[in-house]
Amino acid sequence: MPISPTAEGFRTAFRHPSLALGEIAWRWIVGATATALFFFGLFEYLNTLPLTSGEMLFLRTRHPYFVAQALVHIFRGSLSRAVMAALLAGLMLSVLSVVAASLGRIATVRGLLEYFREQVRSRVSPGEVSSDLPSEASPFRTLARLNFLRLAVALAALCGFVGAAILAGFASPDSDPNPGLAFLFFLPLAGLICLVWWALNWLLSLAGLFAVRDGEDAVGAISAAVTFCRERTGAVFAVSIWTGLAHLVAFVGATTVVSMPLGFAGVLPWRLVVVGVVFVTLIYFALADWLYMARLAGYVCITEMPEELLAPLPTPPPGGLKVTPAPPVQTTIDRDEPILSDVPGALPASS
């Protein structure tokens, strides 16, 4: 019987929660490290700022003009230190994310490959399925290069947003300001940048599957991903669409639930509101990572399952089967039937 890669992906994510937990683990380690580093750096930076009695007096007045002047004087000359600290922290986080993403992808993809190859052995001849996997060193180098390219694409997207803002600013000069026209120019440029970034990031993420499965280098993995999308367009499109719709439903549901504690912000204590928002946000992140694992499992299912198992059931040819129509059902009364006649002697005499 043919199988559905989308259904197999969700079924695998349900049956093997350890794979989703592994995906969540490395993502949350990077996220928790970035969050802790941000708040630690922020507090340390604020502790280094000098605060004189005059600036404190301006802040206590709570007048917008005096408060602004005090803040400008406090932060004067300290922006360079903050920028250097942010660049160093970003560099260290980039290295951590590349290493964690590479190791996590090796573990999850290897687990999915073993699972689906076992499923194929139960459907076809065991000798037709290869159980050999490349060594761990080669996929790690390739995945590190691919993840570095993903970071480079994200940085290029940020630079593209800055360039789009600069180009849109030409439509609203200081002599004749027109912010509406500038926004009208910026919006399609930003949308195009987001579309290109998403497509490249998705392709590089998919290439990691072939780096682990076939032991390809970075260029070979990207080429294999492009060939895979060209040959299995329908199946890949179906898995991406259904998991994307599930992600959209999860996002809409999470934003709806988050709006509830925010609506009681003026009634409930602010600490309780913050805890509720953080709790719902963490649940959404966990569900998003689980859906990503379901999508990855669907892609692995497409690569490992034979094409005849993924094809739909063949439909019989129009002229292949000849069906004899049933005789029509008689719904009228036969007037020639002798038993219905009212003429005497019409019935035969009994002996």
Side-chain angles (χ1 to χ4, degrees):
M1 296 294 294
I3 62 175
S4 170
T6 305
E8 286 295 326
F10 283 105
R11 188 179 296 113
T12 304
F14 272 117
R15 291 180 177 178
H16 297 274
S18 59
L19 296 175
L21 289 177
E23 187 75 12
I24 291 173
W26 75 261
R27 289 178 181 270
W28 285 31
I29 287 175
V30 177
T33 304
T35 303
L37 191 60
F38 170 76
F39 284 105
F40 176 79
L42 178 62
F43 292 146
E44 287 297 322
Y45 171 69
L46 294 178
N47 288 333
T48 60
L49 296 177
L51 185 62
T52 62
S53 58
E55 295 165 351
M56 193 65 186
L57 178 62
F58 278 18
L59 292 175
R60 288 176 179 175
T61 59
R62 296 185 179 180
H63 192 277
Y65 177 77
F66 293 132
V67 171
Q69 292 297 321
L71 292 178
V72 169
H73 193 270
I74 290 173
F75 288 100
R76 181 180 300 170
S78 61
L79 185 60
S80 59
R81 292 185 287 122
V83 171
M84 291 299 296
L87 290 176
L88 181 60
L91 180 60
M92 294 296 102
L93 286 175
S94 299
V95 174
L96 175 63
S97 64
V98 168
V99 174
S102 302
L103 295 176
R105 185 61 62 243
I106 290 174
T108 53
V109 172
R110 285 180 179 271
L112 290 174
L113 288 174
E114 292 176 0
Y115 170 76
F116 280 106
R117 289 183 179 182
E118 186 65 29
Q119 294 295 317
V120 174
R121 291 190 190 97
S122 63
R123 294 172 182 265
V124 298
S125 176
E128 299 179 3
V129 182
S130 174
S131 59
D132 296 334
L133 290 174
S135 61
E136 297 184 1
S138 177
F140 178 79
R141 299 192 195 97
T142 303
L143 288 172
R145 296 187 181 99
L146 292 174
N147 289 318
F148 176 78
L149 289 177
R150 294 177 65 184
L151 288 176
V153 169
L155 182 60
L158 293 178
C159 297
F161 282 122
V162 175
I166 295 174
L167 291 177
F170 291 131
S172 179
D174 295 337
S175 58
D176 186 16
N178 194 346
L181 184 61
F183 179 77
L184 189 63
F185 275 103
F186 176 76
L187 192 60
L189 292 176
L192 180 61
I193 292 171
C194 290
L195 180 62
V196 173
W197 167 78
W198 175 84
L200 292 177
N201 183 72
W202 178 83
L203 181 63
L204 292 173
S205 177
L206 180 62
L209 167 62
F210 298 95
V212 179
R213 178 178 179 266
D214 303 327
E216 298 280 357
D217 57 356
V219 178
I222 296 174
S223 177
V226 174
T227 304
F228 171 71
C229 295
R230 188 177 65 251
E231 295 179 352
R232 302 290 185 91
T233 305
V236 174
F237 185 77
V239 172
S240 303
I241 288 297
W242 284 113
T243 53
L245 289 177
H247 196 171
L248 179 61
V249 171
F251 177 76
V252 173
T255 53
T256 304
V257 175
V258 164
S259 64
M260 296 176 62
L262 291 178
F264 294 97
V267 180
L268 299 176
W270 68 270
R271 292 184 177 87
L272 183 61
V273 174
V274 171
V275 170
V277 172
V278 171
F279 179 73
V280 175
T281 304
L282 292 179
I283 292 178
Y284 164 72
F285 285 156
L287 183 57
D289 294 337
W290 184 87
L291 290 174
Y292 182 86
M293 180 53 56
R295 186 180 70 178
L296 182 61
Y299 294 154
V300 175
C301 177
I302 298 172
T303 60
E304 292 300 315
M305 289 293 176
E307 192 171 358
E308 58 270 13
L309 294 180
L310 298 177
L313 287 174
T315 56
L321 297 178
K322 294 182 179 181
V323 180
T324 304
V329 180
Q330 184 176 356
T331 58
T332 59
I333 299 175
D334 187 4
R335 297 295 182 180
D336 297 333
E337 181 67 30
I339 196 173
L340 298 177
S341 177
D342 56 353
V343 180
L347 293 175
S350 60
S351 57

